[in-house]
Amino acid sequence: RHSRKMLALAAIYGVMNVLSYVAIRRVDAAVFTVCAQLKILTTAAFSVALLRRRLSATKWRALVQLVLGCVLVTVPQMRHTASRHADAPSLDVSPVQFALGVLAVVVEVSLSGFASIYFEKVVKAADEQLTVWDRNFQLALHSIFLYMTYDVAQDLTMWNRPRAPLHDFSFVAWTLAFLSAAGGL
């Protein structure tokens, strides 16, 4: 009953992973990286909203400058993409696809800011005495369940025939998955 809070967080992380792939297909690495810096802004905003923290005027100015930096990098890239698309439609992505990629990054970083503050709020809750380790374990179990369900559902809908879960994993993929999981412990 205490782990339901982590189920919501696992679902948010799953959506964030999907949004990363949507974004990376539509924007280049530089735009993705600069826009990903907005995680600082969204984390600060959710910290103020959910944890009732106060930020100084200096910190708010720094956050506004961060947003302006993101806009300064993204808008010229969007114009460049639009001009290339008008000249040769087969090159890169359309301006609409680029905007969709930027939107995916913005939604992803917003979810990331919410998830980190939500996790902090859950861990610091006075009514439950579970450690960070307990919460991370709950999160891992829910994540495994959600990702395996997603994998099986994707196999059934895409190919109309069931396949073994993780059938396309190579040795390198298994090694990276193991290292990533071990890093979380």
Side-chain angles (χ1 to χ4, degrees), residues 36-181:
Q37 298 308 309
L38 292 175
K39 286 180 187 178
I40 298 167
L41 174 68
T42 60
T43 302
F46 283 114
S47 176
V48 168
L50 297 177
L51 299 177
R52 306 284 182 227
R53 290 197 178 133
R54 294 190 176 211
L55 297 179
S56 67
T58 304
K59 289 180 182 177
W60 280 115
R61 279 193 303 273
L63 290 170
V64 167
Q65 288 176 341
L66 177 69
V67 171
L68 291 175
C70 181
V71 170
L72 288 173
V73 168
T74 304
V75 170
Q77 181 68 27
M78 191 168 191
R79 287 187 186 139
H80 183 65
T81 300
S83 67
R84 281 190 297 180
H85 185 71
D87 295 340
S90 63
L91 292 177
D92 295 330
V93 296
S94 71
V96 172
Q97 289 295 315
F98 180 81
L100 180 64
V102 171
L103 179 65
V105 176
V106 170
V107 172
E108 178 197 353
V109 300
S110 297
L111 287 173
S112 175
F114 174 78
S116 51
I117 297 304
Y118 177 79
F119 185 76
E120 181 179 347
K121 187 172 183 161
V122 168
V123 168
K124 291 181 177 179
D127 59 331
E128 297 175 10
Q129 296 302 319
L130 296 171
T131 67
V132 173
W133 285 89
D134 296 331
R135 291 299 185 181
N136 276 332
F137 186 75
Q138 291 172 345
L139 181 60
L141 288 179
H142 287 303
S143 295
I144 290 168
F145 171 74
L146 288 175
Y147 284 120
M148 293 302 277
T149 303
Y150 175 78
D151 186 53
V152 169
Q154 186 178 15
D155 283 347
L156 291 175
T157 58
M158 288 182 64
W159 304 104
N160 292 325
R161 61 183 170 93
R163 295 186 293 185
L166 311 174
H167 64 280
D168 287 333
F169 269 42
S170 66
F171 175 74
V172 173
W174 278 110
T175 303
L176 289 173
F178 174 77
L179 291 173
S180 180

Side-chain angles (χ1 to χ4, degrees), residues 1-17:
R1 122 189 121 140
H2 295 289
S3 69
R4 278 184 255 151
K5 294 175 182 175
M6 292 297 103
L7 176 61
L9 198 54
I12 290 171
Y13 284 135
V15 170
M16 287 169 49
N17 286 336

